[in-house]
Amino acid sequence: MANLLARILRAAGLKVVHNQEGANLPAGLASTLVSQKGDWALLEVGEGTLKTLARFYPSIDMVLITNLARDQTDRYPELSGLAEEIKDSLDNPQTRVYFK
C-alpha cells in the first residue's frame, strides 16, 4: 500500500521521501530520512516504532493505518488497545488518524 501511495504522489509531481525497501524500524527510518530529500514523507512504520518517530517529528500531519491485524497478538493482545496506543503516541492534536 505504501509503495502504491508513493507512486501516486510522485506521479502528481510531489517530491516524496519513502522507505520503499520496507525498513520500518528506527534505523531504517533514520537512514531513509537522511538519505532522501523531499517535501513529503510517506513512511511505512512498524506499530511499535510510531511513538519513537513521533517524538522526533511531532508535527505529523496524517497517519494512515492499513495493517492492524491479528498477526500482532503475540506483542499486542488486543487490537483495540494497539489502536489506542497508536493514537496516544501522537502528541499533536491536529494529526489526522485514519484506519483502513
Side-chain angles (χ1 to χ4, degrees):
M1 175 73 76
N3 285 330
L4 175 63
L5 290 172
R7 286 179 188 223
I8 291 169
L9 294 173
R10 287 181 179 137
L14 299 172
K15 285 194 73 166
V16 178
V17 173
H18 173 56
N19 56 335
Q20 63 236 16
E21 305 300 322
N24 63 359
L25 298 177
L29 294 169
S31 176
T32 297
L33 291 168
V34 299
S35 66
Q36 299 179 32
K37 302 292 180 228
D39 301 315
W40 291 81
L42 188 144
L43 302 170
E44 180 179 333
V45 179
E47 61 281 333
T49 304
L50 183 59
K51 189 172 193 170
T52 301
L53 183 67
R55 279 192 317 207
F56 290 101
Y57 295 95
S59 62
I60 296 172
D61 294 322
M62 183 187 317
V63 174
L64 172 62
I65 299 164
T66 60
N67 188 20
L68 195 58
R70 294 252 172 236
D71 66 342
Q72 301 299 320
T73 56
D74 60 325
R75 291 178 284 174
Y76 302 98
E78 288 298 322
L79 294 180
S80 59
L82 176 56
E84 286 303 312
E85 184 177 319
I86 289 169
K87 281 183 169 179
D88 292 344
S89 69
L90 302 166
D91 292 333
N92 182 357
Q94 301 301 314
T95 300
R96 293 166 289 175
V97 179
Y98 300 95
F99 291 91
K100 169 77 174 110

